[in-house]
Amino acid sequence: MKNKEKSANSQISAGVSFQANGDARFVSQNVRDIGSQFKAKMSRMANSPASSREGFAFEYLDASNQQTNLGGGYKVEVLDINGKNSPDILIKSRTSGNVVKEQQLKLNSRTADNAANSGAYGKQEIRTPKGQTRKPTNSKVKESNVSTSEVSKGAKNPNQANSKYQFKAAMAEISNAAAIGAITGAVAATLMSSLVHFLAVERGEMEIDDAIAAVFINTVEGAALGSVSGGLFAAIPAFIPALIPVLNIISVPLLTVGAFQLVNQVGEIIDRHTFAKRNALLEEVHRQDAAFFESFDKQVMAYLQS
């Protein structure tokens, strides 16, 4: 790939991946918000019993875990102050705003079983940490991905527990952007390379097998470049959220400039193809004329010498 094509490919991949990465960016942001609420809660409960701190730690850590796994189509909320039997966690659809699931979190499996058996929480899903010695006996009780040991550590060191989920969400955001960038880069590179090499085949300058191989190599290069561009551009808001509004503005002209450069290059490729075919035609006419006059000269010389 030429430098101009690489630059255009990089810009359009970065712009497209940022614009299309909104759901993954939302997940990172909501995980950060849940983490901030968690740290504030633990600060207020500094002198509370360990069991109370662990109970709230379980709620916030499980919410972060669920938000990371559910993706940007849903919003997970931890209800800070609620009435008796009201849910600890709400999961909402982001498109409709409707509550998809209400959850009640219990720190140990016995309490979770009792809650499920009593029916006091209605249709709420009962959740408890995994890794307990006594497993839940009620089939309606769901074990969280968050373990008992993780809950205990989170209650003691909420900053470290938050960092784990924030980093995981950030890496998912970057990976998603890199994948989008790779697709964008591959498509752009394939279109450009196909135009260049198959026009060369039409002009008789290249064999079809060589053209296919060249297009394949350029596609791989374009995918790699797009992946790197998209991932790097997404890494900025993933780790520096304050820059999201600025990058949201920048990404649009970046996409536009990259697309404009690619369109210009398409025009240049077609112009070069037209020029090359015209030159080839002129050369063929010149060769035929030269051959005619050379034959005519030979006939004249033969006549004069006869």
Side-chain angles (χ1 to χ4, degrees):
M1 294 176 69
K2 298 178 182 178
N3 288 333
K4 286 184 179 180
E5 290 177 19
K6 288 182 179 180
S7 175
N9 194 324
S10 178
Q11 291 178 74
I12 196 171
S13 295
V16 168
S17 64
F18 187 88
Q19 289 295 314
N21 205 33
D23 281 353
R25 207 155 45 245
F26 167 80
V27 171
S28 286
Q29 182 59 55
N30 203 42
V31 168
R32 285 192 292 269
D33 291 342
I34 293 171
S36 297
Q37 296 170 26
F38 176 37
K39 288 188 286 186
K41 187 73 174 180
M42 291 296 99
S43 179
R44 292 195 299 269
M45 297 186 64
N47 299 321
S48 300
S51 58
S52 295
R53 290 173 58 83
E54 288 179 358
F56 284 107
F58 177 38
E59 290 180 13
Y60 286 101
L61 294 177
D62 188 63
S64 293
N65 181 272
Q66 289 192 77
Q67 181 66 80
T68 304
N69 293 331
L70 287 171
Y74 301 91
K75 181 177 182 180
V76 181
E77 297 180 357
V78 182
L79 305 181
D80 190 23
I81 300 175
N82 46 32
K84 183 179 180 181
N85 296 348
S86 61
D88 296 321
I89 290 177
L90 289 182
I91 299 176
K92 296 181 177 179
S93 167
R94 286 185 65 205
T95 53
S96 66
N98 295 330
V99 175
V100 175
K101 192 175 291 186
E102 297 180 341
Q103 298 175 335
Q104 185 70 213
L105 277 68
K106 299 299 180 182
L107 194 56
N108 65 70
S109 59
R110 189 180 299 279
T111 308
D113 280 335
N114 292 338
N117 293 333
S118 69
Y121 296 101
K123 294 182 179 180
Q124 292 183 46
E125 181 180 85
I126 310 298
R127 294 173 67 82
T128 191
K130 69 176 181 180
Q132 300 180 62
T133 304
R134 179 188 180 279
K135 296 292 182 181
T137 57
N138 191 307
S139 60
K140 295 181 180 179
V141 175
K142 304 297 181 183
E143 281 194 308
S144 167
N145 290 326
V146 180
S147 66
T148 304
S149 61
E150 189 177 350
V151 169
S152 180
K153 292 177 183 177
K156 295 173 183 176
N157 193 339
N159 288 328
Q160 184 177 3
N162 278 332
S163 298
K164 170 188 172 182
Y165 286 103
Q166 288 175 9
F167 181 77
K168 184 177 180 180
M171 293 308 297
E173 180 181 351
I174 294 169
S175 298
N176 190 64
I180 297 170
I183 294 171
T184 304
V187 170
T190 300
L191 291 174
M192 297 297 294
S193 184
S194 296
L195 191 61
V196 170
H197 293 100
F198 290 125
L199 286 178
V201 171
E202 183 184 334
R203 296 192 299 268
E205 299 173 0
M206 180 179 283
E207 296 294 329
I208 186 66
D209 291 344
D210 294 333
I212 293 173
V215 170
F216 175 76
I217 292 171
N218 286 160
T219 299
V220 173
E221 290 177 349
L225 181 62
S227 177
V228 171
S229 301
L232 288 176
F233 201 68
I236 300 173
F239 294 105
I240 312 176
L243 294 179
I244 290 177
V246 177
L247 295 176
N248 201 36
I249 295 172
I250 293 174
S251 64
V252 176
L254 200 64
L255 189 162
T256 305
V257 169
F260 179 75
Q261 288 180 350
L262 288 177
V263 170
N264 273 350
Q265 287 174 45
V266 169
E268 291 177 3
I269 292 168
I270 294 174
D271 286 344
R272 286 199 298 269
H273 174 68
T274 304
F275 180 77
K277 288 193 71 174
R278 185 171 62 247
N279 277 357
L281 180 60
L282 291 174
E283 288 177 2
E284 178 62 22
V285 171
H286 177 73
R287 187 187 64 78
Q288 291 176 358
D289 288 346
F292 170 78
F293 285 112
E294 183 179 355
S295 175
F296 180 77
D297 287 345
K298 288 180 178 179
Q299 291 177 16
V300 171
M301 291 299 295
Y303 174 78
L304 292 174
Q305 291 175 359
S306 61

